[in-house]
Amino acid sequence: MKQFLPVFKKELFGYFRSPVGYVILIAFHLLTLGLAFYANFYESRQANLSVLFRFLPWILLVFISATGMRLWSEEKRSGSIELLFTLPISVASAVLAKYLAALAFVAIALLLTFSLAFTTAYLGNPDWGVMLSGYLGSLLLSAAFLGISSLCSSATKNQVIAFVASIAACFAITIGGAQGLIDYIDDFAPTALIDFLTNLSFLINYQTLTIGLIELGAVSLFAFFTIAALAINIVILKK
């Protein structure tokens, strides 16, 4: 813990020491709200954030891949990773510190979109339980995406490769159980495979949370992928 906090603070404040962090936050906020209004948020006449949560996974997929691509690839490219591990800090603590700092940055970005929730409350009488469940789902999805992005970043010195690999991996596991894909393979795929893809899909489990159903299976899935990605991340860095 003695070295955990300095690494955490250094990583978190690093996002705000240059205009890049602010530009990313503003771009994320404007893109998220812009798509919500483009999808006729006002004209839907529904006091909920279903329009926002419909687009959010795809925005997060790119945003988090861009956020996480530099976590370890930049350290390896510049050689500062050797300096980091001369400190009295374990690999596991370093991975967790950098990961939680990036997750805090993502949480700030999600918090900015809460202005839409207040707008919804002003215009109607929303179910706050459903909206908060949706934000919980968004944070869990972000945590899993970021774990995968951190893993991809630890495997290469090139940020662009880490970014592309992260998007590809997150996209594959997100779309795995989507209805369009299931309909396509339904005629020739065994039922067990379809059930497996559906249960494993980030998108299906995320959608469950956005309608107010906090199921243990959905929470466990995101937690499992987050922990597994960080564990593999640690193994890669140790080797």
Side-chain angles (χ1 to χ4, degrees):
M1 182 60 69
K2 187 176 181 180
Q3 290 298 330
F4 175 91
L5 287 178
V7 174
F8 173 84
K9 291 178 180 178
K10 173 183 176 296
E11 192 68 27
L12 178 59
F13 294 150
Y15 289 105
F16 300 100
R17 290 196 182 100
S18 69
V20 177
Y22 298 99
V23 170
I24 291 176
L25 286 178
I26 293 172
F28 174 80
H29 184 61
L30 293 178
L31 179 61
T32 303
L33 298 188
L35 285 175
F37 287 117
Y38 176 77
N40 298 323
F41 169 72
Y42 286 119
E43 296 179 10
S44 65
R45 298 184 179 277
Q46 296 180 359
N48 57 50
L49 296 180
S50 59
V51 172
L52 171 66
F53 295 136
R54 186 192 315 160
F55 292 107
L56 203 51
W58 312 112
I59 301 174
L60 287 172
L61 191 152
V62 177
F63 168 68
I64 291 177
S65 295
T67 301
M69 68 180 183
R70 57 174 290 277
L71 283 177
W72 292 105
S73 58
E74 178 61 22
E75 296 270 12
K76 295 172 77 173
R77 185 196 64 80
S78 64
S80 58
I81 190 171
E82 297 176 3
L83 176 62
L84 173 63
F85 288 128
T86 60
L87 300 175
I89 184 173
S90 65
V91 175
S93 295
V95 169
L96 190 59
K98 290 171 72 67
Y99 170 81
L100 290 179
L103 186 60
F105 178 74
V106 173
I108 292 172
L110 286 174
L111 188 62
L112 289 176
T113 67
F114 214 70
S115 58
L116 198 60
F118 290 125
T119 302
T120 303
Y122 176 77
L123 296 175
N125 185 27
D127 186 335
W128 280 97
V130 174
M131 289 200 298
L132 292 176
S133 175
Y135 272 103
L136 173 63
S138 300
L139 186 59
L140 290 172
L141 178 67
S142 299
F145 277 168
L146 186 60
I148 294 171
S149 183
S150 178
L151 169 60
C152 294
S153 180
S154 69
T156 178
K157 295 180 180 180
N158 191 306
Q159 291 190 44
V160 175
I161 294 177
F163 176 71
V164 173
S166 176
I167 286 184
C170 292
F171 178 80
I173 201 166
T174 299
I175 204 68
Q179 192 59 47
L181 177 62
I182 296 301
D183 291 341
Y184 177 75
I185 67 174
D186 186 49
D187 293 335
F188 56 86
T191 303
L193 176 60
I194 293 176
D195 291 340
F196 175 76
L197 290 175
T198 301
N199 292 329
L200 199 65
S201 170
F202 279 7
L203 188 61
I204 298 298
N205 287 278
Y206 170 77
Q207 289 172 342
T208 299
L209 291 166
T210 60
I211 60 176
L213 298 177
I214 304 179
E215 294 184 349
L216 180 60
V219 176
S220 300
L221 176 75
F222 292 123
F224 170 78
F225 271 95
T226 302
I227 295 171
L230 292 177
I232 299 172
N233 192 343
I234 293 170
V235 171
I236 289 176
L237 291 175
K238 281 185 175 180
K239 289 186 176 182

